Amino acid sequence: MSAAEARAYVANLATGHYENFSVLSRLVPERLRDDFAAVYAYCRWSDDLGDETGNDAAAREKSLELLAWWRGQLEACFKFARAGAASTGETSAPPNHPVFIALAETIRRHGLSPEPFHHLIDAFEQDQRVTRYETWEQVIGYCTRSADPVGRIVLALFGVNGQKPGDADLIRMSDATCTALQLTNFWQDVRRDLIERDRVYLPSAETAISAGELHEWLSRGDDPDVRIRFIKALRPLVHRTRELFATGRPLPRALGREAGPIIWLFGAGGEHVLTAVEKCGCTTLWHRPRLTSAAKAGLVLSAMVKQKLWPAGGVRRA
């Protein structure tokens, strides 16, 4: 597959897969559209290799095999990209998977680090081995591998690579936002994670609820005692998630007009979903709240207005 065909493949994947907001919206600068698509395609494939084989022991073992293969492809991709960027005459076999053909160009163009990409695979491997969590800290630890790396890769595309004054604070706010987005997804998808993947991200020590009880409660949604116990368990987790969003709220404006509205859109979208969780009474074991089309359109419009009004300063390009 040629580089142009690989770019078309990842762009089709980015525009054709359902997400709350388009990864390739008009907010993304033209110069970064191919890079956003390549990074999204990598994340999408990684996630699917961890989630779409099933939820029994054999399926999880298959996921681990596929993720190991994917990690090998990633390592080969970085070796190829770096050999080309160094121009030392060293050669390396080019990738043969469309995602990595496209991603190699992005890695070379922006000097990306392999660690965040590997951390994502680490998280999806963890999903095959760990399906229950006891403490809040354990859940947060998972988020640092499953969510925070995505934000760090996006920041790197805009030149925030941790090597300049002020980068550390921007990365800290990005990590808080990404962790909050992942947690919001957990609280929104309690039912789906339990039924479809036999995973429970509600920390048992914090909620005093076991996975067995959740399975039992699924059919007892009209039992007020059950509903009250679940609501009381989830509500404090929602509040702690809101605090993480608050930590990251200054990030978009600090990034400036080019990057800020994109980051703002995803953070604001996550906060709106968290609000929907609250508005449904934190009953997500029985009901999955989601953004309405009108709410999504309003958020996109707000982001476009910010793109026009915010100062051009902020983040520096690499």
Side-chain angles (χ1 to χ4, degrees):
M1 181 176 286
S2 69
E5 290 171 326
R7 287 193 295 271
Y9 173 87
V10 296
N12 287 335
L13 191 63
T15 56
H17 202 286
Y18 172 78
E19 302 290 347
N20 277 333
F21 300 104
S22 172
V23 176
L24 297 182
S25 71
R26 286 187 292 172
L27 296 169
V28 178
E30 184 66 29
R31 69 183 182 89
L32 293 178
R33 292 180 69 82
D34 288 343
D35 301 318
F36 265 67
V39 168
Y40 173 82
Y42 172 81
C43 296
R44 181 75 272 149
W45 261 79
S46 301
D47 197 3
D48 287 349
L49 292 176
D51 280 351
E52 300 305 326
T53 60
N55 64 10
D56 60 13
R60 288 173 181 153
E61 192 60 37
K62 182 63 175 178
S63 280
L64 288 172
E65 293 175 8
L66 290 168
L67 288 166
W69 162 74
W70 194 242
R71 192 188 294 277
Q73 295 286 306
L74 175 66
E75 291 169 349
C77 176
F78 265 92
K79 184 176 180 181
F80 174 77
R82 286 176 166 176
S87 300
T88 60
E90 180 184 355
T91 60
S92 178
N96 58 17
H97 190 289
V99 169
F100 290 110
I101 294 172
L103 188 61
E105 292 189 345
T106 294
I107 292 167
R108 186 179 297 135
R109 220 174 359 251
H110 298 278
L112 298 182
S113 166
E115 282 76 15
F117 295 90
H118 279 290
H119 289 162
L120 285 171
I121 297 177
D122 293 342
F124 301 133
E125 287 177 337
Q126 181 173 326
D127 275 331
Q128 313 314 312
R129 301 185 176 105
V130 181
T131 60
R132 306 289 188 268
Y133 290 85
E134 182 177 357
T135 68
W136 172 264
E137 289 73 22
Q138 289 171 348
V139 178
I140 295 297
Y142 173 82
C143 294
T144 64
R145 292 179 288 280
S146 68
D148 297 4
V150 179
R152 292 188 179 211
I153 294 168
V154 170
L155 287 183
L157 295 181
F158 286 103
V160 179
N161 53 21
Q163 299 177 9
K164 306 181 187 71
D167 279 4
D169 199 41
L170 298 176
I171 291 171
R172 176 187 61 81
M173 290 188 285
S174 174
D175 286 350
T177 300
C178 290
T179 290
L181 287 168
Q182 178 74 86
L183 293 172
T184 298
N185 182 255
F186 289 159
W187 315 149
Q188 177 189 29
D189 281 340
V190 172
R191 178 188 179 90
R192 188 159 71 177
D193 285 337
L194 182 67
I195 294 175
E196 297 181 10
R197 300 183 178 118
D198 191 31
R199 295 178 193 157
V200 179
Y201 295 99
L202 296 172
S204 59
E206 312 279 340
T207 62
I209 297 174
S210 68
E213 287 176 305
L214 291 176
H215 278 289
E216 179 191 349
W217 292 356
L218 279 171
S219 60
R220 296 173 57 190
D222 56 349
D223 184 330
D225 291 334
V226 164
R227 291 177 77 88
I228 288 171
R229 275 197 65 191
F230 183 81
I231 291 166
K232 285 185 175 180
L234 185 58
R235 189 169 286 154
L237 303 180
V238 170
H239 290 164
R240 294 174 82 170
T241 304
R242 185 77 73 184
E243 292 171 359
L244 286 166
F245 274 123
T247 298
R249 279 185 208 136
L251 175 63
R253 184 171 282 275
L255 292 174
R257 180 185 300 168
E258 186 179 52
I262 302 169
I263 306 303
W264 178 89
L265 178 60
F266 286 97
E271 290 211 62
H272 272 66
V273 172
L274 196 64
T275 297
V277 170
E278 292 174 316
K279 285 184 175 179
C280 81
C282 294
T283 58
T284 54
L285 181 59
W286 304 278
H287 169 71
R288 183 181 189 271
R290 58 191 304 171
L291 286 178
T292 65
S293 296
K296 286 190 280 189
L299 288 167
V300 171
L301 180 60
S302 294
M304 293 173 68
V305 170
K306 293 178 189 301
Q307 193 174 51
K308 297 290 186 183
L309 298 180
W310 279 0
V315 66
R316 293 86 49 225
R317 295 183 187 175

